[in-house]
Amino acid sequence: MKIWYFPILLLLVALTYSYWAGYTPAFLGVAYFIVSLVSYLLYAKDKKAARSGAWRVSENTLHLSALVGGWPGSIVGQQRLRHKTQKVSFRIVFYIMLLLNVGLLSFLHTPYGSHKLHTYIYNMENWTVSQFDSNLGVTVLLKLTKFRYDE
């Protein structure tokens, strides 16, 4: 395994432990996966555009995708596609976005952060139930937002 995939492996272990210990809902892992997939696709689109001279994906968009949790997909995109690996200024900002995201994830494991997350999820669940009829999509969403010890 390449060394640059080690942070992704750590994230998978951390998210699994976080769910099983009751710190975060399963939705957080699902969100990381979806945003990572989108990030990878953005890198693929930008690489293709760079080769053909078409309209490029802005670096700010790539950085934003990393900040909101897509950094695993960004790492895979950078390494597999050999894209944005040589530009030092881009890499520095990318790693700052990665550290900010991991810092936020760590914050969710503090007593204050955990309380805020639980409150936000509880309010979101109540709003969802009051706004939408019960259907499969709502049921799945509510199941994913449950904390393990709430089940």
Side-chain angles (χ1 to χ4, degrees):
M1 180 168 70
K2 306 280 186 185
I3 193 156
W4 47 79
Y5 293 125
F6 188 67
I8 299 169
L9 179 61
L10 282 178
L11 177 68
L12 289 172
V13 170
L15 287 173
T16 301
Y17 171 77
S18 181
Y19 171 73
W20 283 104
Y23 289 108
T24 58
F27 180 75
L28 192 61
V30 173
Y32 266 95
F33 177 78
I34 292 170
V35 176
S36 290
L37 181 61
V38 169
S39 287
Y40 180 85
L41 293 173
L42 287 171
Y43 274 82
K45 180 180 179 182
D46 191 49
K47 178 72 174 193
K48 183 177 179 183
R51 286 183 171 165
S52 66
W55 193 268
R56 304 278 305 269
V57 176
S58 77
E59 287 187 358
N60 287 340
T61 301
L62 296 174
H63 290 314
L64 180 63
S65 72
L67 177 64
V68 298
W71 60 264
S74 297
I75 289 174
V76 173
Q78 289 170 15
Q79 299 306 317
R80 290 192 60 123
L81 302 169
R82 300 279 183 231
H83 191 52
K84 298 290 189 183
T85 58
Q86 299 299 313
K87 191 172 180 183
V88 175
S89 61
F90 180 87
R91 303 281 293 175
I92 290 170
V93 174
F94 169 75
Y95 284 113
I96 291 170
M97 297 299 109
L98 185 153
L99 290 173
L100 286 171
N101 180 267
V102 170
L104 176 62
L105 183 60
S106 298
F107 168 73
L108 295 177
H109 292 80
T110 66
Y112 181 75
S114 180
H115 174 73
K116 285 293 187 188
L117 180 62
H118 279 76
T119 302
Y120 175 77
I121 297 271
Y122 177 77
N123 291 337
M124 190 227 22
E125 287 173 346
N126 286 337
W127 180 83
T128 302
V129 168
S130 70
Q131 295 296 315
F132 301 101
D133 293 329
S134 182
N135 61 42
L136 181 61
V138 170
T139 304
V140 169
L141 177 64
L142 292 175
K143 182 72 172 164
L144 287 172
T145 60
K146 290 285 186 211
F147 292 84
R148 182 169 179 267
Y149 59 80
D150 288 344
E151 296 182 307

